[in-house]
Amino acid sequence: MRTVGALMLAALVAVVANSGAFAADHPAKVALVIGNAKYPDTDLPPNEAVNDAKDVADELRHDGFDVEAGIDLSGDAMRLALERLYSRIGPDSVALIFFDGFGIQSGRQSYLIPVDAQIWAEADVLRDGFNLETILGAMNSRGAVVKIALLDASRRNPFERRFRRYSAGLAPAVTPGNTLALYSTALGSVASDSKNDHSLFVTELLREIRVPGVSAEQALRNTQAGVIAASKGEQVPWLSSSLVTDFSFSGGDAVKPEKTKACEPVRAESPPSPDQLARDPAIAELTRRLAANRNDRASWYKRGQLYAIKRAYDLAVRDFNEVIRLSPKDVQAYNNRCWTLAATGDLVPALRDCEQALRLSPGLADALDSRGLVNLKLGKTAEAISDYSEALVKNPQSASSLFGRGIAKLRSGMDGSFDLNTAKSIDQGIATEFAGYGVTECGR
């Protein structure tokens, strides 16, 4: 059995701590950064995890965090480092953990693995690993108003090979309120080994958190989008957010959520009359084509789109009906009919159409955006936020998805102002468009 002196010596050797004295008993922003690479029988390039951890620690210090950084930590050293992190947390603190190394999921929970772990069976993961949910819960119980977990731990590892035939990646975390969690890859998947001095995930993370004036949540969403783009869709980070506090990596200390300003009602524009629609040149031309050929699927579709854009929703639905009659597997026709039915409030068939579009094309951003609107109008705000967030991974500049998610957050009691303001900066008419669907910032 190790002596107390040996434990302290191991911790001192392994941990590269911030040498500056604390500015206060409980600094406003505290972080623990761990880079583990010297595992037995590993394919992880040691320079990647070490460089990642050092650069993240340096950036967080620059952003005002009181950082302790540790390299190649044993289980005892990790336990002591976590205890020191918890002791530095005070009321209204921001607490962050960054971990670069190996992670394993067991029982649908994620565990961070120290370099001296003795894992030969799944039960050993619970004994030697550090449960992410437990770490976040401890941060929360110590009074942290914002909890952040950044994990570059979804890798093939030698431990899992001993008791599984595959790498299971990480599991979704059940987090306390006001938490941001970002994994380097999607749930249940692993990242390819990097041939560079830094992982792709950390390269994108550092770029985004350095941007001034961007909320922490948006910085992580931008990181997510950057990894997807750089990997050409092969690596898709997983992000979970329940953040309602206004916080930025490059900004000041954590603050309480601001009260939402009183909104100004937005009136929807009146749809054009039947005579006005008939006189529209594009609609008139498509109507002429359809009179000549009732099986002209493209003309039905284009006219349906024009009707929908002009808020003649009933006419749009009729045209999309014809497209689906002629082509029962037309994904965009189902998506457009879903969106149009949602606008009219016919929500049950709208949901069926969106589900069909997503069955035909899983992950289709447009269909996720449309289903987000359906769920929003059904009052299913959590489902709406999930749909809009998934759509934004694929299309981060979608004003519709940003505005819809902002409304859903407001209706869930969260701060949706960043999403709403970003949407309006992209499309000044987005509030009027949503008013046409019967959805406004005032209608909470």
Side-chain angles (χ1 to χ4, degrees), residues 128-145:
D128 286 357
F130 291 83
N131 187 308
L132 175 62
E133 293 181 13
T134 300
I135 293 170
L136 291 170
M139 291 177 176
N140 189 61
S141 66
R142 295 298 181 100
V145 66

Side-chain angles (χ1 to χ4, degrees), residues 422-442:
T422 304
K424 291 172 186 176
S425 71
I426 295 170
D427 180 357
Q428 294 181 355
I430 192 67
T432 302
E433 178 184 329
F434 267 73
Y437 309 150
V439 176
T440 69
E441 295 171 69
C442 299

